[in-house]
């Protein structure tokens, strides 16, 4: 058993689940079984906590179409079921989900109105008018008014107060100009957002992709840094800021990677319609943010070099890595399989496997305030993956999924797959 807290795994473990929660964890022979308990033999398997994804864009993907028209509770649930299929117990949609519909969805999910799925969390976005999401995501968020558009500090504070009034815990800001297509959010505005959010106990997630912007938002006190600096090496000034502020950091590297569908990877392909897989594989010209299976882009090797330089240094400096994927923008990089891709990339870039698992389990639980999730311990929800191989030996073994349990119940993965293949 990998507990998820970074400690040593428990060999020959045993654990007890009652009413959806873990009530005892230990070695075989130490855990006392109540009379009448059902026993599940997991000999030879590895158990790890279900993962938690702090950054996706849920609801717009329809697999044969993409857009606001697809944003229904049923489609949100479908995406959460895809995350659950791949072993993700909680999934946070960031800056792209409409507020009131999402609050209603959370209430309904909590009330047990939906079939088992990853637990839904969300936050609204804030950006200058017509700013924020990239050109694809923008088509969805504008139609559904998922982003609060603000251009002055007072307006920004009022928007945060509205969110706090709805009991929202987080907000996303974009500090970017989408390749010069709109004026970037000013420091005066984001400083006001951060200050007002913190007054209300809310966390601020900041999209920033350049070294200068990452420094600026970390210095201003954001809680979660989103994206990597992919085009240049980080410097001592950012390292010092990370050491001082210790923000959470979600890399969402995978969206820029060549999709595994190109190599006919059945782990990624299994939940997608065959037509989508075939279409992605047949696409050989480069398309921004969309998967293609042509030759690598001219800057791919430089990007790789920068990631390999920056990722270990960001973490060593104090950035608190958490799992996020940006899934939902395009079918080639989609819900659930993307989570496994992301954590394997961290390890490929130099992170130790046990730390990758912490960053996918207990640390995102800590960030999201999910106190009974993210680790396998007494009192926690029984959310776990049963694996046929040990991911501490090879991180890609997280893909060797034998079963996924959420709140103590085994997910019917075969039934989900059969539904998606229709
Ligand atoms: Zn995103």
């Amino acid at each position: 058993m990998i507990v998820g807290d970074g400690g040593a795994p428990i060999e020959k473990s045993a654990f007890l689940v009652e009413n959806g929660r873990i009530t005892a964890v230990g070695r075989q022979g130490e855990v006392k079984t109540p009379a009448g308990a059902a026993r599940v033999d997991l000999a030879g398997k590895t158990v790890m906590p279900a993962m938690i994804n702090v950054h996706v864009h849920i609801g717009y993907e329809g697999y044969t179409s993409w857009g606001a028209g697809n944003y229904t509770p049923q489609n949100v649930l479908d995406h959460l079921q895809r995350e659950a299929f791949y072993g993700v117990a909680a999934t946070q949609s960031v800056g792209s989900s409409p507020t009131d519909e999402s609050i209603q969805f959370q209430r309904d999910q909590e009330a047990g109105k939906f079939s088992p799925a990853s637990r839904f969390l969300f936050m609204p976005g804030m950006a200058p008018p017509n700013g924020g999401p990239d050109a694809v995501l923008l088509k969805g968020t504008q139609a559904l008014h998922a982003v609060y558009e603000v251009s002055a500090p007072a307006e920004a504070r009022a928007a945060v107060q509205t969110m706090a009034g709805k009991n929202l815990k987080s907000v996303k800001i974009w500090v970017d100009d989408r390749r010069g297509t709109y004026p970037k959010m000013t420091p005066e505005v984001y400083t006001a957002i951060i200050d007002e959010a913190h007054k209300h106990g809310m966390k601020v997630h900041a999209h920033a992709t350049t070294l200068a912007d990452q420094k600026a938002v970390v210095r201003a006190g954001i809680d979660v840094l989103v994206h990597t600096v992919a085009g240049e090496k980080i410097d001592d000034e950012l390292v010092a800021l990370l050491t001082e502020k210790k923000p959470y950091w979600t890399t969402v590297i995978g969206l820029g990677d060549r999709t595994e569908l190109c190599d006919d990877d059945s782990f990624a392909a299994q939940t997608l319609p065959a037509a989508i897989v075939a279409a992605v594989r047949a696409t050989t010209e480069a398309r921004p943010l969309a998967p293609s299976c042509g030759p690598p882009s001219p800057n791919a090797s430089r990007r790789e070099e920068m990631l390999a330089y920056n990722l270990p240094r960001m973490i060593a400096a104090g950035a608190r890595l958490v799992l996020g994927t940006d899934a939902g923008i395009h079918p080639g990089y989609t819900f659930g399989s993307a989570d496994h891709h992301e954590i394997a990339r961290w390890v490929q870039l130099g992170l130790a496997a046990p730390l990758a698992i912490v960053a996918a389990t207990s640390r995102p639980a800590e960030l999201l305030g999910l106190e009974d999730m993210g680790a396998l311990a007494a009192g926690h929800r029984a959310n776990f993956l049963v694996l046929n191989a040990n991911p501490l030996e090879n991180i890609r073994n997280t893909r060797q999924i034998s079963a996924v349990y959420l709140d103590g119940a085994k997910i019917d993965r075969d039934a989900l797959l059969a539904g998606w293949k229709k």
Side-chain angles (χ1 to χ4, degrees):
M1 172 189 281
I2 299 165
V3 176
D5 61 359
I10 304 172
E11 298 294 341
K12 293 191 184 303
S13 71
F15 58 104
L16 190 63
V17 174
E18 292 177 274
N19 299 319
R21 287 183 186 266
I22 296 169
T23 52
V25 173
R27 290 175 65 97
Q28 287 164 23
E30 290 172 0
V31 174
K32 203 166 145 39
T33 314
R39 186 174 179 277
V40 180
D41 186 356
L42 301 179
K45 309 287 189 192
T46 300
V47 175
M48 67 171 272
M51 296 188 279
I52 295 174
N53 183 334
V54 309
H55 195 113
V56 302
H57 299 290
I58 224 159
Y60 296 108
E61 176 57 62
Y63 296 95
T64 51
S65 63
W66 196 101
N70 292 331
Y71 203 102
T72 61
Q74 207 48 47
N75 204 38
V76 171
L77 180 64
D78 176 82
H79 296 165
L80 295 169
Q81 286 174 325
R82 289 170 192 269
E83 292 283 354
F85 175 88
Y86 284 105
V88 180
T91 303
Q92 180 165 255
S93 188
V94 176
S96 56
S97 288
T99 297
D100 293 337
E101 291 89 330
S102 297
I103 290 172
Q104 187 60 47
F105 186 95
Q106 282 186 310
R107 281 195 190 124
D108 289 344
Q109 189 178 40
E110 215 167 319
K113 289 188 186 172
F114 300 131
S115 45
S118 193
R119 181 164 162 186
F120 178 62
L121 295 98
F122 84 101
M123 72 188 70
M126 284 180 90
N130 296 312
D134 66 83
V136 178
L137 188 58
L138 194 68
K139 286 182 201 152
T141 57
Q142 282 197 325
L144 298 186
H145 307 288
V147 175
Y148 289 71
E149 297 190 342
V150 294
S151 39
E155 202 183 357
R157 285 186 188 273
V160 173
Q161 287 160 11
T162 302
M163 295 172 201
K166 293 175 188 280
N167 203 25
L168 303 184
K169 302 299 182 202
S170 305
V171 58
K172 172 180 179 175
I173 60 172
W174 280 264
V175 177
D176 194 8
D177 62 4
R178 207 191 299 129
R179 297 178 186 87
T181 57
Y182 69 91
K184 195 184 286 188
M185 181 182 280
T186 64
E188 290 72 26
V189 170
Y190 62 72
T191 302
I193 292 170
I194 294 164
D195 180 60
E196 195 66 32
H198 287 174
K199 271 185 196 161
H200 290 90
M202 293 170 64
K203 291 192 166 74
V204 180
H205 294 229
H207 161 116
T209 59
T210 68
L211 182 56
D213 286 337
Q214 289 213 342
K215 286 179 192 173
V217 297
V218 172
R219 186 180 285 115
I222 53 96
D223 303 278
V224 184
L225 188 58
V226 183
H227 292 292
T228 56
V229 174
E232 57 195 315
K233 288 181 177 176
I234 64 164
D235 63 9
D236 292 347
E237 192 181 7
L238 181 61
V239 164
L241 283 164
L242 294 171
T243 304
E244 181 196 342
K245 304 279 192 178
K246 297 193 168 43
Y248 291 92
W249 178 42
T250 183
T251 49
V252 294
I253 296 168
L255 187 63
D257 287 347
R258 184 174 185 269
T259 167
E260 293 172 15
L261 295 178
C262 300
D263 308 317
D264 217 6
D265 185 311
S266 62
F267 182 76
Q270 64 183 321
T271 53
L272 293 171
I276 295 291
V277 176
V280 170
R281 296 196 72 202
T283 304
T284 53
E285 82 276 16
R287 298 181 295 174
L289 289 182
S292 74
C293 294
S297 81
N299 62 13
S301 65
R302 174 156 176 87
R303 173 179 183 265
E304 204 59 22
E305 193 187 319
M306 292 303 112
L307 288 173
Y309 181 90
N310 289 340
L311 185 116
R313 283 169 179 81
M314 293 280 288
I315 293 168
R320 291 185 277 175
L321 186 66
V322 285
L323 174 62
T325 59
D326 250 346
I329 301 235
H330 209 282
Y333 191 68
T334 192
F335 301 102
S337 57
D339 300 72
H340 296 263
H341 180 92
E342 191 80 13
I343 63 176
R345 287 288 273 133
W346 296 336
V347 174
Q348 190 186 31
L349 292 166
L351 188 69
L355 299 181
I357 290 174
V358 168
T361 58
S362 57
R363 194 176 299 115
E366 172 194 287
L367 167 63
L368 301 180
L370 302 172
E371 287 166 8
D372 58 359
M373 295 177 77
L376 299 178
H380 280 228
R381 290 169 186 270
N383 295 332
F384 57 90
L385 279 153
V386 180
L387 303 172
N388 293 324
N390 183 356
L392 298 177
E393 288 166 5
N394 177 349
I395 195 65
R396 286 180 68 90
N397 287 341
T398 61
R399 298 165 184 233
Q400 302 292 321
I401 300 172
S402 167
V404 175
Y405 285 78
L406 294 183
D407 292 337
K410 191 175 178 177
I411 296 290
D412 190 346
R413 299 177 78 238
D414 292 337
L416 288 171
L417 265 188
W420 292 324
K421 285 298 172 198
K422 278 181 194 164

